[in-house]
Amino acid sequence: MALYAGLDALRASAADVRIVTSDGQTIAAHSYVLALASPVLERMIDRARCRGWDAAADCTVAVLGVPSDAVLAFLHLLYSSDAAVVLARSCRLVAPGTEELVAAHGPQLLALAHVYRVGWLKRAAEAAVSARLTADRAVDMLKLARLCDAPRLYTRCARLAAKDFAAIEASDGWRFARRHDPALELELLQLLEDADSRRARWARARASQEAYRQLGQAMGSLDRIFAATGGGTDDDAPSPSSAGPAGTCAGDGDDDATCQGLRLLMRHFATCARKVAPGGCARCKRMLQLFRLHASVCDRPEQDQPCRVPLCSHFTAKMQTEKADKTWRLLVKKVTMARAMAGFADRQVPEVVAMSWARYSTSSKWARN
């Protein structure tokens, strides 16, 4: 009861409002405190006084739908004069010492704060319910979030349902929704379908980014291979000897594997007799596509130092006379961006910047807690 000491001290003074709960319990309160905390309670008090003969007499306000303990906790939080100040000046949602009160009556406080338009308490209750959400209560809390316009709690319930739907199906809330609330069941199934499609879309996007990264890595490997071997002219096809010995490319394991694959492909291109036959060779066509892509992303000026990769100048001149299609231009753009992002990722971060990032990460973690 020490938690309610401030409320009891104020209740000892002249109270002019009586709060009636669902079980018939009456709680004395002060109209100016309730009116200052909630505009809905202010209008209810004004209407109750207008219906009475004596404006100075006590008025009665009914707060129904929740247990009396939750109403008492709601009033205690409204009487906490430092709660709004703490909310405005720090990252905490409620005053120190009241977190356990919000956690104990989270769903009831969320409903009361929504009905009576107490914004800071609604945010605190929503955060408390979201942090303690379990699978057996996810369906009930999803319906509460929809009724109380709590998007953070709604998203948390949807993510939990998508992550562990087997536990959701075993809950009493799901069984009740299947029997008596088909709209809620359909909404939850739609959320699961949206989550599956979103995961599939993210997987396709990650696969595309990985393909663009590998193509950008292949372009860099071509530059290193022919820079080390001296390359050839644009009229020369890459020969097995011009591909360079094993280990010419310096880099990590991915670079070595890419270089080795390009060497094997160029050796096949140099000795394949089907590349000029009708229909051609699929592997030779792939090699020509890589040479064309390299010419599209090559940024080495020809006047300063000509590119040593075979057919680079040939494809560059051909692109100046022939306009590439939209799909090819999009591929070139994606590969160029992937190469630029890879360069940013590989660069060495200055010590000052690294220290600033460390301080920011530490402060952000403290603010979240």
Side-chain angles (χ1 to χ4, degrees), residues 133-155:
L133 185 65
T134 56
D136 57 338
R137 302 178 60 191
V139 178
D140 298 332
M141 293 302 103
L142 179 67
K143 188 171 184 178
L144 178 65
R146 185 177 59 178
L147 294 175
C148 296
D149 190 20
R152 178 177 178 180
L153 179 59
Y154 189 91
T155 304

Side-chain angles (χ1 to χ4, degrees), residues 15-135:
D16 55 352
V17 176
R18 297 193 178 275
I19 305 297
V20 179
T21 62
S22 298
D23 55 0
Q25 183 177 351
T26 302
I27 305 173
H30 301 79
S31 59
Y32 66 91
V33 177
L34 301 182
L36 184 63
S38 168
V40 178
L41 288 174
E42 181 181 11
R43 289 194 295 269
M44 293 176 66
I45 293 172
D46 291 339
R47 285 198 298 266
R49 284 177 173 174
C50 290
R51 289 194 297 265
W53 291 96
D54 187 3
D58 293 351
C59 63
T60 302
V61 175
V63 179
L64 308 176
V66 296
S68 57
D69 293 341
V71 177
L72 191 61
F74 177 66
L75 293 176
H76 170 74
L77 291 170
L78 296 186
Y79 272 79
S80 299
S81 59
D82 55 344
V85 178
V86 172
L87 173 67
R89 295 184 180 179
S90 70
C91 300
R92 305 177 68 91
L93 292 175
V94 294
T98 58
E99 294 90 346
E100 57 183 17
L101 190 62
V102 177
H105 305 281
Q108 295 84 1
L109 290 176
L110 176 60
L112 290 174
H114 174 73
V115 171
Y116 296 105
R117 295 175 58 185
V118 185
W120 64 268
L121 182 56
K122 180 179 178 180
R123 291 189 294 270
E126 183 181 4
V129 175
S130 301
R132 294 164 177 82
L133 185 65
T134 56

Side-chain angles (χ1 to χ4, degrees), residues 295 302-303 312-324:
E302 188 176 356
Q303 298 83 356
C312 183
S313 299
H314 168 73
F315 281 117
T316 301
K318 189 176 181 179
M319 285 186 298
Q320 294 176 357
T321 58
E322 299 179 3
K323 185 178 180 180

